[in-house]
C-alpha cells in the first residue's frame, strides 16, 4: 500500500464504523482487535494492516445489518482491502460479496455461542484475559476456572474465549469433558479428539503418550485455544497442555484440581447483590425488577445469588407473566423443603448441579456432609465438626478439605477464628439427602 491507499482505507474504515453507530471500543469488542489497532488504522499510522485484521473488521461491521448502509459500507471496506491485496479478490466467477464468508481454511472454530446476557465477573474476566492475551510474550499455557455449583464457570470460560479468540488465529477447539448421559472421556480420547479438530491423524499412534507427544508438536507450531469444559480429573487436562509456542488451554472443573503445576487458578462464587439484581433485570426485564426492588433482592438471596438459580428464576417468571416477584419469593421459593424442586426449568436444575459435585465425594465424605447439614448448623468450627463426626482433627481436616475442593463448603472468619460455612442451597440439598436416608 502506498500512502494514498493507507489514508483511503483508514478513512473508509472510520466512515463504516460511524455509519454502523459504533465507537472504536465497540468495534474493538466485536472484532477482537484492540482499540489502539483500530485507531492506528483509521489515522493511517499502520503501514500494512494484516489480512486477518481486515476480515475481522469486515465481519464485525456486517453484523450491524439493521443499521442503514452498513452492508454496503462493509462491502466497500472489503473492496478497499482487495485493492490493497489484503483480502482475496474476485476472480473468474467469484464476485466481491456484500457479506463476506469466512474461507473454508480448515481452522477449527468450535466455541459455543457467546452468552448474550453475560453479567458481572469483571475481575475474573480481566484475570482470564490477562493470562491468555498478555501484551508481551506467550499466553499462560493453562488457565483453570473452578467454583461453586451453578456459579457460571462455563459461561465465564465461553465468554472469555470469545473475547480472546483474536489472539489464537489458528483456531479454537471445544471439548465437553462430562457429557450428559455418557461416560467422561479418558485422557487418550481427549487427545485424539483435539488432534482430529486440528486436522492431524488421530488413530495412528501406538500409545496415549505418543498421541500426546504428537499433539504437543502440533500445538508448538500454532496458536490454538483449547477450551475444556467440566473436567473431572487432572489427567483430562494434563494430556493436552502445550509445552512450547503460543497455544493455551482454558479449562473448567467442579473440583479445584490443585495437582496441575503452573496453572492460573480463577475461582468464581456467588454474585454480589448488585450483580445478582443486574442479572435478574437482564433476564426478566429492568422494569419488572425496578417495580419491586425489595422482592427482587429477596429472590436473589433465596437463589443464593448463584447465576444458575437466578436464570431458573427468570425462566419461571417469564413463563408465568401473571406472577410478581413477591409471588416467586414468598409463595414459590419461600418454603425451604421444596425450594430446590422449584429451582428447575427445562434442562436447568440447581439440584442436578449440586448433585454432580456431591457425586465426586467418597462415601464417608458424603455422609459427613449430610451430618454437618443436619446437626452442624450453617456455620461451625473444626472442633465442633470433629465432635459431630466422631473423629480426630487430621481426619476432619481431610473431610473438610475434600468439601472445600468440591466447592461444597466455604471458609469464613469469625472473631479471628477460622470457621466453615455450608452455602444455603448446598445445605438444602444435604438436608434432602438426610431425609431420604
Amino acid at each position: 500500500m502506498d500512502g494514498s491507499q493507507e489514508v483511503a482505507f483508514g478513512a473508509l474504515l472510520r466512515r463504516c464504523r460511524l455509519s454502523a453507530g459504533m465507537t472504536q471500543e465497540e468495534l474493538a469488542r466485536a472484532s477482537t482487535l484492540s482499540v489502539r489497532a483500530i485507531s492506528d488504522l483509521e489515522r493511517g499510522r499502520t503501514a500494512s494492516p494484516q489480512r486477518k485484521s481486515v476480515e475481522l473488521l469486515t465481519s464485525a461491521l456486517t453484523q450491524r445489518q439493521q443499521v442503514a448502509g452498513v452492508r454496503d459500507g462493509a462491502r466497500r471496506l472489503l473492496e478497499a482491502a482487495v485493492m490493497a491485496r489484503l483480502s482475496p479478490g474476485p476472480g473468474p466467477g467469484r464476485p466481491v460479496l456484500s457479506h463476506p464468508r469466512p474461507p473454508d481454511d480448515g481452522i477449527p472454530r468450535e466455541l459455543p455461542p457467546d452468552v448474550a446476557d453475560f453479567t458481572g465477573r469483571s475481575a475474573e474476566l480481566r484475570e482470564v484475559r490477562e493470562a491468555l492475551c498478555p501484551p508481551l510474550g506467550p499466553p499462560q499455557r493453562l488457565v483453570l476456572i473452578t467454583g461453586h455449583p451453578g456459579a457460571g464457570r462455563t459461561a465465564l470460560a465461553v465468554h472469555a474465549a470469545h473475547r480472546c479468540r483474536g489472539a489464537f488465529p489458528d483456531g479454537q477447539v471445544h471439548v465437553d469433558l462430562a457429557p450428559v448421559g455418557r461416560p467422561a472421556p479418558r485422557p487418550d480420547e481427549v487427545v485424539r479428539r483435539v488432534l482430529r479438530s486440528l486436522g492431524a491423524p488421530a488413530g495412528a499412534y501406538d500409545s496415549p503418550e505418543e498421541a500426546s507427544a504428537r499433539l504437543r508438536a502440533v500445538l508448538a507450531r500454532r496458536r490454538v485455544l483449547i477450551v475444556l469444559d467440566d473436567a473431572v480429573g487432572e489427567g483430562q487436562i494434563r494430556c493436552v497442555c502445550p509445552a512450547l509456542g503460543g497455544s493455551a488451554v482454558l479449562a473448567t472443573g467442579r473440583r479445584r484440581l490443585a495437582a496441575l503445576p503452573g496453572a492460573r487458578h480463577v475461582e468464581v462464587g456467588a454474585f454480589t447483590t448488585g450483580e445478582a439484581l443486574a442479572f435478574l433485570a437482564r433476564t426478566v426485564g429492568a422494569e419488572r425488577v425496578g417495580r419491586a426492588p425489595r422482592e427482587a433482592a429477596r429472590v436473589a438471596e433465596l437463589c443464593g445469588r448463584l447465576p444458575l438459580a437466578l436464570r431458573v428464576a427468570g425462566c419461571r417468571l417469564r413463563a408465568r407473566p401473571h406472577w410478581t416477584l413477591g409471588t416467586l419469593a414468598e409463595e414459590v421459593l419461600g418454603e425451604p423443603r421444596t425450594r430446590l424442586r422449584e429451582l428447575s426449568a427445562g434442562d436447568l436444575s440447581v439440584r442436578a448441579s449440586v448433585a454432580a459435585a456431591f457425586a465426586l465425594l467418597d462415601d464417608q465424605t458424603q455422609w459427613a456432609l449430610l451430618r454437618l447439614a443436619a446437626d452442624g448448623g450453617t456455620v461451625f468450627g473444626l472442633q465442633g465438626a470433629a465432635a459431630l463426626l466422631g473423629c480426630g482433627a487430621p481426619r476432619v481436616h481431610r473431610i473438610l478439605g475434600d468439601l472445600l475442593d468440591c466447592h461444597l463448603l466455604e471458609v469464613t472468619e469469625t472473631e479471628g477464628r477460622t470457621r466453615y460455612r455450608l452455602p444455603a442451597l448446598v445445605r438444602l440439598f444435604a438436608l434432602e439427602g438426610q431425609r431420604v436416608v
Side-chain angles (χ1 to χ4, degrees):
M1 294 174 67
D2 60 25
S4 62
Q5 286 174 313
E6 284 183 28
V7 174
F9 182 81
L12 182 57
L13 173 60
R14 184 173 186 274
R15 286 200 297 271
C16 290
R17 174 177 62 78
L18 293 177
S19 68
M22 302 176 77
T23 65
Q24 288 184 345
E25 290 77 9
E26 289 172 334
L27 181 56
R29 286 195 296 269
S31 66
T32 70
L33 299 179
S34 69
V35 176
R36 182 174 180 178
I38 292 173
S39 176
D40 288 347
L41 279 171
E42 290 187 355
R43 290 187 286 180
R45 289 187 174 183
T46 300
S48 180
Q50 296 181 2
R51 179 193 303 258
K52 183 66 175 178
S53 298
V54 175
E55 293 174 351
L56 290 170
L57 289 167
T58 306
S59 177
L61 287 166
T62 55
Q63 292 178 12
R64 290 291 184 98
Q65 296 176 5
Q66 72 274 20
V67 181
V70 170
R71 282 195 176 195
D72 187 54
R75 179 185 60 79
R76 294 199 304 272
L77 182 65
L78 183 60
E79 288 174 346
V82 170
M83 292 178 61
R85 297 182 180 179
L86 297 174
S87 183
R94 192 176 75 185
V96 174
L97 300 174
S98 61
H99 188 79
R101 292 191 300 266
D104 185 12
D105 50 14
I107 294 177
R109 299 177 178 89
E110 299 178 355
L111 293 180
D114 199 358
V115 183
D117 55 3
F118 188 86
T119 304
R121 305 299 190 203
S122 56
E124 294 88 347
L125 181 60
R126 181 169 57 252
E127 188 173 357
V128 174
R129 292 192 67 187
E130 288 175 352
L132 294 179
C133 310
L136 298 173
Q140 179 89 26
R141 293 199 178 96
L142 174 57
V143 179
L144 182 60
I145 299 175
T146 59
H148 293 22
R153 300 179 301 268
T154 298
L156 174 60
V158 170
H159 187 68
H162 276 280
R163 299 288 293 272
C164 295
R165 68 179 186 271
F168 301 94
D170 295 319
Q172 305 87 40
V173 177
H174 180 270
V175 185
D176 185 357
L177 298 182
V180 177
R182 288 182 291 157
R186 301 186 310 272
D188 62 298
E189 293 173 332
V190 178
V191 172
R192 287 177 169 82
R193 163 73 171 79
V194 176
L195 282 170
R196 284 195 298 270
S197 291
L198 297 177
Y205 306 105
D206 295 333
S207 67
E209 292 76 18
E210 185 180 354
S212 289
R214 173 58 179 161
L215 177 58
R216 288 194 297 273
V218 171
L219 294 176
R221 299 190 300 269
R222 306 186 192 182
R223 287 187 291 167
V224 176
L225 178 61
I226 302 173
V227 180
L228 304 176
D229 189 28
D230 220 357
V232 297
E234 286 88 349
Q236 291 178 308
I237 299 174
R238 189 182 291 115
C239 63
V240 299
C241 283
L244 300 170
S247 294
V249 173
L250 175 60
T252 72
R254 295 185 183 126
R255 293 195 300 111
R256 278 196 168 85
L257 301 176
L260 291 168
R264 178 80 167 265
H265 290 265
V266 179
E267 188 168 322
V268 291
F271 276 150
T272 65
T273 299
E275 289 174 332
L277 292 176
F279 184 68
L280 197 58
R282 297 193 68 176
T283 305
V284 303
E287 183 180 353
R288 199 170 183 182
V289 171
R291 287 199 304 263
R294 290 186 179 180
E295 290 80 1
R298 177 63 176 157
V299 169
E301 291 304 317
L302 291 173
C303 290
R305 290 181 275 109
L306 289 173
L308 176 60
L310 289 164
R311 186 174 294 283
V312 170
C315 291
R316 300 294 304 275
L317 286 168
R318 287 200 306 272
R320 305 286 188 271
H322 59 284
W323 279 6
T324 66
L325 283 158
T327 302
L328 180 64
E330 302 305 326
E331 300 178 20
V332 180
L333 301 180
E335 172 53 58
R337 290 176 297 179
T338 59
R339 189 175 304 154
L340 284 181
R341 185 181 67 194
E342 298 294 345
L343 285 175
S344 63
D347 60 352
L348 301 177
S349 169
V350 175
R351 180 193 281 118
S353 180
V354 179
F358 184 77
L360 299 176
L361 304 173
D362 60 35
D363 292 344
Q364 186 170 26
T365 308
Q366 287 182 351
W367 171 83
L369 177 60
L370 301 183
R371 186 71 188 275
L372 291 170
D375 301 320
T378 303
V379 179
F380 49 87
L382 181 69
Q383 292 182 344
L388 187 63
L389 300 178
C391 53
R395 183 67 172 169
V396 172
H397 274 301
R398 191 196 67 78
I399 290 173
L400 298 184
D402 287 348
L403 293 174
L404 287 169
D405 286 343
C406 289
H407 300 281
L408 297 172
L409 190 66
E410 297 173 339
V411 175
T412 185
E413 290 274 338
T414 302
E415 298 178 353
R417 294 185 301 168
T418 299
R419 308 279 286 175
Y420 299 92
R421 185 176 74 87
L422 289 173
L425 296 181
V426 171
R427 187 165 186 265
L428 291 180
F429 174 86
L431 290 174
E432 280 188 355
Q434 186 72 22
R435 288 195 293 270
V436 171
V437 174

